[in-house]
Amino acid sequence: MHDPTTDIGDTSGATDLGVTDDRSAHRRSAVIGALSIVGGPPQERFDRITRMATDLFGVSLSYLNLADAADLHAVSPASDPARSIPLADAFCKVPIATGTPLVVRDTLEDARFRTLPPVVGEARVRFYAGAPITTPGGTTVGTLCIMDSEPREFDDRELELLADLARWAERVLAEGRRADDVRAVAGAFRPGALTIPGWSIDGATTRPDEVAGRFHDWHRTPTGVVVTVAGVSGSSAGATVLAASLRSALRARADRPLGEAVRDVAAQVVPELAATSAHARVFTARVEEGSGRVEFVDAGLGLVVHATNDGDQRVVRGRNLPFGLQPTDEPFVSDAVELAPGESLLIGSDGLLRLHDDSLETLVMAGRRLHSVGDFGAFFAQVAEQATRRSVDQDVTAVAITRRRARHA
């Protein structure tokens, strides 16, 4: 049978075994810093792994650790009072240095470890098994380890199970990092305030950290203010990358005729969408500040209402399919509405429909509420409150293009 202790090589008696070179230590420290986990609050995504390890192996201690250049930090369980110890004093220095598991069946019988603080100190550790945790980039940053106060055997099957749990921890770390990246990219989508005489352009979402693949945007061009609301289908990370590409492409062509710009943007991004079997629903509009005319192309969004002064809230129908579904030989058709002073064009996400009965009547009601409230901030506060009350399980986004009434002295 394979002896797991041979994973660390023929180095018995080497008390400094596992001390990594400076380059590895610096690289590991940089990765740990980027993860921003060490020293943070308890996280259930890690705690469920250590709980399972404790239960599966019937041991008294289980830790998920991350190591910087000098110290080993227990990420889980975060309640442990001794959350950080010098790496040189830890069993885990070996799997971190070698990238392979380590099993010590009886610490007092192994000259390499019998004087370590966990062995001679209060913990009185007599058994240790640890598997390395490695990032997708190949840097070993920590371990998943189990310990007990009694010596014990540990066979190949158990070692494979421990390694499987470590792979699970690697995926959790990677997913957490991707989620952070998604939030960073999504955060970069959020447009700044625009000051436009006679107009207000406003937008908000109830769950800004959970809008992967969706964005709203506005910016000024020589031919008017361009406003876009769009969403890409698919997984969070991939959809967000595609949304970033879509947003950049639309901005790059914002000074061109609207229908022509949309056609060229679609031609650019559709191959990227097709590669992941995704599509994009896009509403993009150009506001002519002097006339009140809003020209738009609605490619499959279909959630737009014209909030009028006469109380007749009109759903604005688009005539195009989403990017990726529109036939390549079909041009994108633009339409237009005229906004009188005091009127708005309200564009919403699917989540907005969840505020009532998932029908377009909910959109009409939202347009009526926006017009009656007269202030987007107050309107969206009511939307957010209703979303919370109804436990809406997705983001609710609203964007309003409003032509303000003239102020009289």
Side-chain angles (χ1 to χ4, degrees), residues 362-375:
T362 306
L363 186 65
V364 170
M365 293 167 60
R368 187 177 297 120
R369 183 183 301 179
L370 172 64
H371 191 267
S372 64
V373 171
D375 174 78

Side-chain angles (χ1 to χ4, degrees), residues 221-237:
T221 77
T223 56
V225 175
V226 174
V227 180
T228 301
V229 180
V232 176
S233 65
S235 64
S236 60

Side-chain angles (χ1 to χ4, degrees), residues 373-395:
V373 171
D375 174 78
F376 182 84
F379 158 75
F380 198 78
Q382 294 180 15
V383 166
E385 180 183 359
Q386 187 170 345
T388 300
R389 190 168 62 250
R390 291 182 61 88
S391 300
V392 176
D393 60 357
Q394 64 187 97
D395 69 280

Side-chain angles (χ1 to χ4, degrees), residues 199-333:
W199 292 84
S200 295
I201 312 291
D202 301 285
T205 184
T206 56
R207 298 160 80 168
D209 289 338
E210 301 179 26
V211 292
R214 299 182 292 281
F215 68 91
H216 58 272
D217 185 41
W218 50 73
H219 61 286
R220 189 188 292 275
T221 77
T223 56
V225 175
V226 174
V227 180
T228 301
V229 180
V232 176
S233 65
S235 64
S236 60
T240 298
V241 171
L242 290 170
S245 176
L246 174 59
R247 178 177 180 270
S248 297
L250 286 166
R251 280 192 164 228
R253 295 166 175 80
D255 59 346
R256 296 170 57 181
L258 195 61
E260 177 184 319
V262 170
R263 179 200 66 198
D264 292 348
V265 169
Q268 175 182 329
V269 303
V270 162
E272 300 177 54
L273 294 168
T276 57
S277 300
H279 64 270
R281 300 165 63 199
V282 180
F283 175 92
T284 187
R286 178 176 286 117
V287 179
E288 296 179 5
E289 301 171 39
S291 68
R293 184 174 187 268
V294 180
E295 181 188 12
F296 65 89
V297 172
D298 187 338
L301 189 68
L303 299 175
V304 185
V305 64
H306 180 186
T308 66
N309 292 326
D310 61 13
D312 183 15
Q313 317 306 318
R314 303 185 185 100
V315 174
V316 179
R317 306 285 184 178
R319 294 191 283 164
N320 308 281
L321 295 177
F323 289 11
L325 299 179
Q326 178 94 342
T328 56
D329 58 349
E330 288 284 339
F332 286 90
V333 179

